[in-house]
Each structure stands twice: as C-alpha cells, then as structure tokens.
C-alpha cells in the first residue's frame, strides 16, 4: 500500500546507525526504493560508514545546508542520476553550545542565527532547490522534516526550540507555495531519542525521563525506529492529500499536560 518500489528518495541527516534518518533509509530500501544520503566535511566519512551497512550500500553526496553552492551541485547530481526525486527527508539541525543548555539569555545573535539557519531555513533551501525534481514527470513529491514539539518551552532546548517553532512556520509556507506543483511538505514531531543531536542538550535526560514516565502510550528513548512509520506514511501516496501538517510521533505526550504519571496512579483523578 505504501508503494515505494522503484521510487527514489534523498535522505539527509544520517550520522550513524542510531539516527532516525538511517532507520528511514533502511526501511525505504527494504520496501524497494532507491536512496541516496547526504553528508559534509569530515563527518561525511561517518555517514559513509553508516551507509555501508544499509541493506543496500548507499552513496553519500556532499551537502552542507548553509552553503548555497552545495544545493546547486546536489541538484545537478540528482538530475544526472535520477531525473526526478519522489521524496526527501530533512533531518538536519545544529546549534552552537552558546545557544543551548541554559544559555538562552546570553546567546550571541550569530549563534542564534546559526541554529535558525541550520534547523529551519535549510528546509526552505532544500525544498525549493529540489522542487523541479519533486514535480518532474508528473511526480507529486513529498518533503518530510523531523521536528520536536515547539508549542511550549523546554528547559535547555533554548534556541533550538525557537528554531523548531520556525521550522513549523517554514513548513506551512512551503506547503502553501509548493502545493500548486503537487509537492507536499510535512513534519514529524518525534519524542526525545538518544541520538548525537540529543546528546548536545544538557537537559536531555530530564526531558526523556519525563517522556518515559508520563507519555500516555509510553516511550522508548533508545529506539529511533519507532518514528519511521509516520515518516514513511508522509512520504507515501497514502498521504497524498496531507500537507502543512505536523504529525506527532511522541507516545501522545503533546496531547497532555500532566501526563499519566504518579498523579493518576491510584485510579485516576477525582
């Protein structure tokens, strides 16, 4: 029903086998799709190592999302290889330590700008660069980004939280402007998962522990694969009428304020 056989997808943000992006790439390959990954700089070697242990080893193309020239080269490479792209996963975010972990009030403007550019503006750069390929040959391509609930403030998440709020707005505007071309743009707001990105947040353990204790459906912070299903849904034709959406894959935590923890252990609220 998902219809991935023979389709082609670009996956960004794979750093190692513990990333949501890596598990998405694996699931797409197992469903019969072709995938290409992106990486950049010295970290590209780590991405290439992770790519080599996918069910079918995947090539890694250079992409630093803060460099416009990289997008031009990426589009040229994809045109030569595939001629069109059926979907792309945006799984990129980064911020200097001065923008995280309690430094919000003293964050230099340039550090805040780096977080916003990498986590939010880059979705615009990626989607607009690939738009001709996502609609080539009558395609109705899908852009999916990874998000974290930005409806409230999380201690220590700081400018990355602001950036994720901006990411949601970028998603909605892209959905509006790319919709006439048949291109869908959506986000998956995942619960906290133990990834390289998560390790940069000093309060990650506090946030993840609360999720595990209080999410209505429970939460496993050690399993990035739990987020793959919603990502595949949005990449597939099952979601052909869905755009501008933030789909929460967080055990239901976004929907509650006190969770289902100790306050309700004795038979529920009065």
């Amino acid at each position: 029903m998902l219809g991935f056989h023979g389709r082609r997808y670009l996956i960004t943000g794979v750093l190692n086998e513990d990333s949501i992006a890596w598990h998405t790439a694996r699931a797409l390959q197992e469903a019969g799709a072709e995938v290409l990954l992106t990486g950049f700089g010295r970290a590209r070697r780590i991405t290439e190592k992770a790519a080599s242990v996918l069910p079918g080893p995947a090539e890694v193309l250079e992409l630093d999302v803060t460099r416009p020239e990289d997008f031009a080269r990426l589009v040229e490479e994809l045109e030569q290889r595939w001629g069109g792209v059926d979907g792309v996963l945006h799984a990129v975010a980064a911020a200097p330590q001065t923008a995280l972990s309690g430094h919000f009030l003293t964050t230099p403007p340039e550090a805040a700008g780096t977080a916003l550019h990498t986590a939010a503006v880059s979705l615009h750069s990626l989607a607009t660069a690939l738009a001709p390929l996502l609609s080539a040959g009558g395609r109705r391509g899908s852009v999916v980004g990874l998000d974290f609930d930005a409806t409230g403030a999380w201690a220590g998440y700081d400018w990355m939280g602001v950036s994720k709020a901006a990411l949601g707005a970028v998603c909605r505007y892209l959905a509006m402007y790319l919709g006439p071309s048949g291109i869908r743009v959506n986000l998956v707001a995942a619960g906290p998962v133990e990834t390289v990105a998560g390790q940069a947040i000093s309060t990650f353990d506090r946030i993840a522990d609360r999720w595990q204790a209080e999410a209505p459906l429970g939460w496993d912070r050690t399993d990035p694969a739990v987020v793959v299903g919603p990502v595949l849904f949005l990449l597939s034709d099952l979601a052909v009428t869905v755009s501008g959406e933030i789909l929460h894959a967080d055990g239901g935590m976004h929907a509650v304020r006190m969770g289902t923890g100790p306050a309700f252990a004795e038979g529920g609220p009065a």
Side-chain angles (χ1 to χ4, degrees):
M1 291 180 64
L2 294 173
F4 290 124
H5 188 78
R7 294 196 173 184
R8 293 160 169 172
Y9 295 87
L10 181 71
I11 307 297
T12 71
V14 171
L15 187 58
N16 57 33
E17 297 167 58
D18 293 328
S19 66
I20 296 170
W22 185 88
H23 284 273
T24 300
R26 183 181 71 173
L28 285 169
Q29 285 189 339
E30 290 174 343
E34 294 181 59
V35 301
L36 288 169
L37 312 184
T38 69
F40 74 98
R42 289 180 294 179
R44 181 172 171 176
R45 293 184 179 181
I46 303 175
T47 301
E48 289 171 342
K49 182 178 179 181
S52 70
V53 293
L54 286 167
E59 290 189 58
V60 179
L61 306 181
E62 184 77 13
L63 178 63
D64 178 343
V65 296
T66 66
R67 292 167 53 91
E69 59 269 28
D70 280 12
F71 285 102
R73 284 195 295 266
L74 176 67
V75 170
E76 182 179 356
E77 181 72 23
L78 292 172
E79 284 178 334
Q80 293 175 354
R81 287 172 179 260
W82 287 345
V85 177
D86 294 293
V88 56
L89 176 66
H90 177 279
V92 181
Q97 277 300 310
T98 54
L100 301 169
S101 304
H103 300 296
F104 183 82
L105 296 179
T106 58
T107 299
E110 59 271 19
T114 296
L116 285 163
H117 191 169
T118 307
V121 176
S122 65
L123 178 65
H124 172 274
S125 301
L126 184 65
T128 54
L130 295 183
L133 296 174
L134 289 163
S135 58
R139 286 178 170 83
R140 298 171 62 84
S142 174
V143 179
V144 178
L146 295 184
D147 193 13
F148 187 76
D149 181 34
T151 57
W154 297 98
Y157 205 43
D158 298 348
W159 282 98
M160 186 53 65
V162 174
S163 300
K164 292 298 187 180
L167 181 69
V170 172
C171 169
R172 290 186 288 274
Y173 276 90
L174 285 171
M176 178 171 63
Y177 285 111
L178 293 179
S181 298
I183 299 170
R184 297 170 283 125
V185 186
N186 296 285
L187 302 178
V188 173
V193 178
E194 292 181 358
T195 62
V196 173
Q199 293 170 5
I201 310 297
S202 64
T203 54
F204 175 84
D205 286 337
R206 287 171 52 197
I207 295 171
D209 287 347
R210 180 183 174 191
W211 234 271
Q212 291 194 162
E214 299 184 19
L217 292 176
W219 186 253
D220 183 356
R221 59 192 282 183
T222 68
D223 185 9
V226 298
V227 184
V228 171
V231 173
L232 294 184
F233 164 68
L234 291 174
L235 287 173
S236 77
D237 284 348
L238 291 178
V240 72
T241 60
V242 180
S243 195
E245 184 63 79
I246 300 177
L247 176 58
H248 290 81
D250 64 353
M253 190 66 173
H254 72 284
V256 299
R257 288 295 178 264
M258 293 183 65
T260 56
F264 302 106
E266 300 298 327

